[in-house]
Amino acid sequence: MCVSLIEGTDYVDSFPSWDDLLSLQEQKRDFARIQAHSHMRSFLFQTFDDDVMEADGLLSRIRSGGGSPLHPLVMIGVFYEGLLSFHFALRRREPNPRSIETEIPVKTVPNQQYSRYISRGEQALEFIGMYSTLNKFTFENKYLLLEASRLELSNPDQAFIVYQKAIKSASDHKFPHEEALASELAGRCLFNKGIFDRARGLYEHAINRYQSWGAYAIVRRLRIEIQQKFSAIHLVGQGHPPINYYSVGFLHDPARYKNDGSGTRKRSA
């Protein structure tokens, strides 16, 4: 995971892949931890596959664990599972005519599957909220970020207020990567509302915080996203049709933000 954050997901090293780990019998009982890592990688790198949410949720694994001690990594995995759930619901809903990103219809899902995303997100929100009351230092910003992601589905104005609270909480409690994540999502929220100058400022702040955390591959990914988004605004101003970033696929190709131009092959996942 650390190597991926620094070098990118396509970097080839001597560490086993996720498939290699899962093939080891002794790792079967640790599948929840591997799933937690998978959720983190998927969200941080914005590489979304339809099957990333097909497995049983981490909360269902926790509840079926018979009261065994809960590994902190799995708790963080629930947080990222909630973010993924709300993100999938947001990107698959009916297009918002106010958004430059959704002028072209996006892929929709049946109501039952949309409701499933919402349900899993709300369960994660409730779980993280419970721990936020017990440990404000560690979980408050996570709860606020999940709540903002939920609100963005129906009330982007209120969502942005909560995103700001999540940024401040992460900053106050010294979680630079989660301050970066909240800033990035707040920037996306404003971008979708057409408030481009403030959105760019939040994206730049996210880059600064990711860089302070050492996540250089995420910095490269976000710089490409900024270039694509704000170049598109310029093109739209010149009369070109708007672009939907959920359909063009530039966020789905990790090779676009790999470490260098050496042609390093992508590890199979």
Side-chain angles (χ1 to χ4, degrees), residues 72 75-76 79 127-146 169 173 175 178:
M75 299 168 72
I76 300 302
F79 165 62
F127 177 86
I128 296 298
M130 176 183 67
Y131 282 96
S132 178
T133 61
L134 299 172
N135 184 349
K136 179 179 178 180
F137 186 93
T138 302
F139 289 97
E140 180 189 64
N141 74 291
K142 298 173 179 63
Y143 172 77
L144 289 168
L145 190 52
L146 285 171
S169 177
H173 298 143
F175 290 104
E178 289 169 0

Side-chain angles (χ1 to χ4, degrees), residues 73-92:
L73 176 60
V74 178
M75 299 168 72
I76 300 302
V78 172
F79 165 62
Y80 279 96
E81 182 172 293
L83 290 176
L84 280 169
S85 298
F86 289 132
H87 176 83
F88 268 71
L90 181 65
R91 72 192 285 248
R92 304 297 183 83

Side-chain angles (χ1 to χ4, degrees), residues 199-249:
R200 181 146 199 163
L202 284 161
Y203 279 126
E204 295 291 348
H205 182 68
I207 284 176
N208 178 273
R209 294 288 79 204
Y210 280 131
Q211 195 151 335
S212 74
W213 190 44
Y216 303 118
I218 307 300
V219 169
R220 291 190 291 274
R221 187 268 297 167
L222 191 51
R223 281 178 174 158
I224 287 174
E225 180 177 345
I226 290 172
Q227 181 182 11
Q228 293 277 353
K229 283 186 171 183
F230 290 93
S231 295
I233 293 171
H234 178 69
L235 290 174
V236 170
Q238 294 181 335
H240 294 272
I243 293 177
N244 167 29
Y245 293 93
Y246 290 141
S247 66
V248 298

